[in-house]
Amino acid sequence: MKITVVSPHRGDAAFALGLSIGAWLREGHAVEVVSCFTRSEFAPYSDVGLLHRNDRVSFVTAVRKREDEAWRKQVGVAKFTITDLNLKDAPLRLHIGANEVFGRVADASEKVVAKIKRALEMSKAGAWVLPLGLGGHVDHVTARNVALSALATAATPVAFYEELPEAGAVTGEEAIDAVVVQLALAVQSKLEPALAGGAGLTDVEDAVAKKRRVAWCYDSQIDEAATTDIAEFCRRFGGAERIWTNAAWRSQGL
Ligand SMILES: [Zn+2]
């Protein structure tokens, strides 16, 4: 089966699903990651601050493209692909500050909706994996909602992932449960938590080390502390990643 993962920004799918994607590939599935809002000047751990304003977007966009490429090479199998939608991220598209991207309503602009929908149609996936939208970043909520609107039927297997490191900052499971309840209504199916990515690893330390290696592909985005948060989060699940699955996903035995 082909599994398509929606990554609002470069790195989101890798941070949250590095283990799961490896496991799906080992099980023989093809995996496509769709990186949506890839034009950006957000790279706090790069040299972007040294550049003239006019050069920042092209510099950061190129740095982050190399980061996706580094992850693709690290995974290193032909059945793993990354598609770049080349859309502007929220600060560039909506002309807002980096601290104003949270808690806004989803962006329904024609270009954004059309590009994401088209990419998902083209991917011809048998199963979809979408972000929960934890933290309420407008790019995450937008990508998730457009994907939901493109889902043909409740018979399509779909799962949701918790964004990292955002999920680690959520205090209490209630906030996550509230999002899951909303999304269950949207996909007209009970969503149940499942653990993915743990199979084939020798132990929890192996899982943490693998997550750390994946996260470090994106070192313009995260510092050592965030890398540790992302990698260590899998300990609470015994070295796996948590997703929420609809009935169709479960009936496929994914
Ligand atoms: Zn993101």
Side-chain angles (χ1 to χ4, degrees):
M1 180 177 288
K2 176 160 182 196
I3 300 172
T4 291
V5 180
V6 173
S7 191
H9 305 112
R10 297 188 191 275
D12 288 319
F15 297 158
L17 293 169
L19 302 177
S20 303
I21 288 171
W24 294 328
L25 290 164
R26 282 196 300 279
E27 287 162 14
H29 303 298
V31 177
E32 176 183 0
V33 169
V34 177
S35 292
C36 301
F37 301 100
T38 55
R39 279 161 69 196
S40 177
E41 56 180 16
F42 184 80
Y45 306 102
S46 73
D47 292 332
V48 63
L50 305 174
L51 298 176
H52 187 274
R53 274 201 69 80
N54 296 350
D55 298 327
R56 287 180 189 171
V57 173
S58 57
F59 173 80
V60 168
T61 301
V63 165
R64 296 184 65 173
K65 186 183 174 77
R66 286 198 296 275
E67 292 177 340
D68 255 0
E69 190 57 21
W71 181 37
R72 196 188 61 75
K73 281 190 182 146
Q74 188 182 87
V75 175
V77 294
K79 283 187 302 183
F80 178 60
T81 55
I82 301 178
T83 301
D84 174 6
L85 298 193
N86 200 35
L87 287 163
K88 292 177 178 173
D89 73 359
L92 298 180
R93 192 174 75 254
L94 305 172
H95 308 288
I96 55 177
N99 55 349
E100 296 174 295
V101 298
F102 302 102
R104 306 177 79 89
V105 292
D107 176 5
S109 62
E110 203 180 335
K111 184 176 178 184
V112 165
V113 172
K115 261 202 165 179
I116 296 174
K117 272 193 169 173
R118 171 130 181 87
L120 290 170
E121 283 164 21
M122 298 274 291
S123 83
K124 299 198 179 352
W128 297 19
V129 187
L130 312 180
L132 281 177
L134 298 182
H137 190 302
V138 63
D139 288 341
H140 286 232
V141 173
T142 297
R144 181 199 72 197
N145 287 5
V146 174
L148 285 174
S149 73
L151 264 182
T153 68
T156 305
V158 60
F160 295 88
Y161 62 86
E162 52 189 346
E163 290 99 330
L164 295 176
E166 289 85 348
V170 173
T171 44
E173 290 283 296
E174 297 81 3
I176 295 178
D177 290 344
V179 174
V180 170
V181 166
Q182 286 300 316
L183 292 173
L185 290 172
V187 299
Q188 298 170 7
S189 166
K190 191 169 166 25
L191 294 174
E192 288 182 0
L195 296 181
L201 299 172
T202 49
D203 58 19
V204 176
E205 299 309 323
D206 189 17
V208 172
K210 279 213 168 69
K211 282 200 71 91
R212 177 173 283 280
R213 265 202 307 284
V214 173
W216 264 133
C217 292
Y218 297 86
D219 64 359
S220 80
Q221 298 296 300
I222 49 173
D223 61 4
E224 174 58 29
T227 305
T228 300
D229 288 348
I230 290 166
E232 297 281 329
F233 195 77
C234 72
R235 282 190 196 278
R236 70 183 68 187
F237 309 120
E241 293 159 340
R242 183 169 54 165
I243 58 175
W244 283 261
T245 65
N246 73 349
W249 180 287
R250 297 189 293 275
S251 70
Q252 289 282 338
L254 278 162

